[in-house]
Amino acid sequence: MRQSQIWLAVVRGLPRLREPDRFAPWLFTIARRSVTDRLRGEYAREQETLAADDVATEDPAEAMVDRAALMNVLSELPVLEREILVLFYLEDLPVEECAYICRIPAGTVKSRLSRARRLLREHLKEKGYRP
């Protein structure tokens, strides 16, 4: 779900917002759910592609790590680190926007990104993937 679709969902959902002073958390919940749905969709499509085509692709990123395995490992990360990775890498948002969305300082975004990358590397290593 792209930003325009998220805003459309927000506008449609406004009549059901019972506590207007809770708008920001309500909005972030909608955005978080849309990102989660997007990840689930990508994972499902990737699983279908892998099942239909057993031939390895020539994508450099997939040569290093199978995308389905990456999505699986990503889902094992703590929520805060996973959110930062999704916002920064999948949604392609700059650090400042990630900070605004998560309501944390930019420095905290950077430290969470660092921790998330380290955890991701550790999880991949445990699963037997080597860079």
Side-chain angles (χ1 to χ4, degrees):
M1 184 179 280
R2 290 289 181 216
Q3 286 180 348
S4 59
Q5 292 170 316
I6 293 171
W7 283 113
L8 185 59
V10 168
V11 170
R12 288 180 177 159
L14 275 175
R16 294 186 304 273
L17 178 62
R18 295 175 196 231
E19 298 177 48
D21 57 327
R22 304 265 314 141
F23 177 77
W26 176 78
L27 175 64
F28 187 62
T29 299
I30 290 173
R32 179 184 292 162
R33 286 181 183 155
S34 69
V35 169
T36 301
D37 291 345
R38 177 179 169 198
L39 287 174
R40 283 188 189 128
E42 285 181 13
Y43 179 76
R45 283 190 299 279
E46 194 63 36
Q47 291 291 28
E48 290 171 7
T49 301
L50 289 173
D53 184 19
D54 290 337
V55 178
T57 63
E58 294 301 317
D59 185 329
E62 287 184 3
M64 226 164 96
V65 179
D66 172 46
R67 187 176 171 97
L70 180 60
M71 296 300 281
N72 191 24
V73 171
L74 187 62
S75 71
E76 295 173 1
L77 295 180
V79 173
L80 296 176
E81 284 73 14
R82 183 173 58 232
E83 281 179 347
I84 290 296
L85 285 175
V86 167
L87 291 171
F88 189 76
Y89 289 107
L90 297 179
E91 292 299 321
D92 221 12
L93 297 176
V95 169
E96 294 76 21
E97 286 188 43
C98 293
Y100 180 78
I101 289 169
C102 295
R103 304 183 86 180
I104 58 176
T108 303
V109 170
K110 292 175 184 177
S111 64
R112 283 189 189 166
L113 275 170
S114 176
R115 175 175 157 73
R117 289 183 198 115
R118 181 178 49 77
L119 288 172
L120 187 60
R121 276 192 305 272
E122 289 171 3
H123 279 68
L124 288 169
K125 191 174 181 179
E126 287 174 12
K127 303 267 185 205
Y129 291 96
R130 306 274 186 239

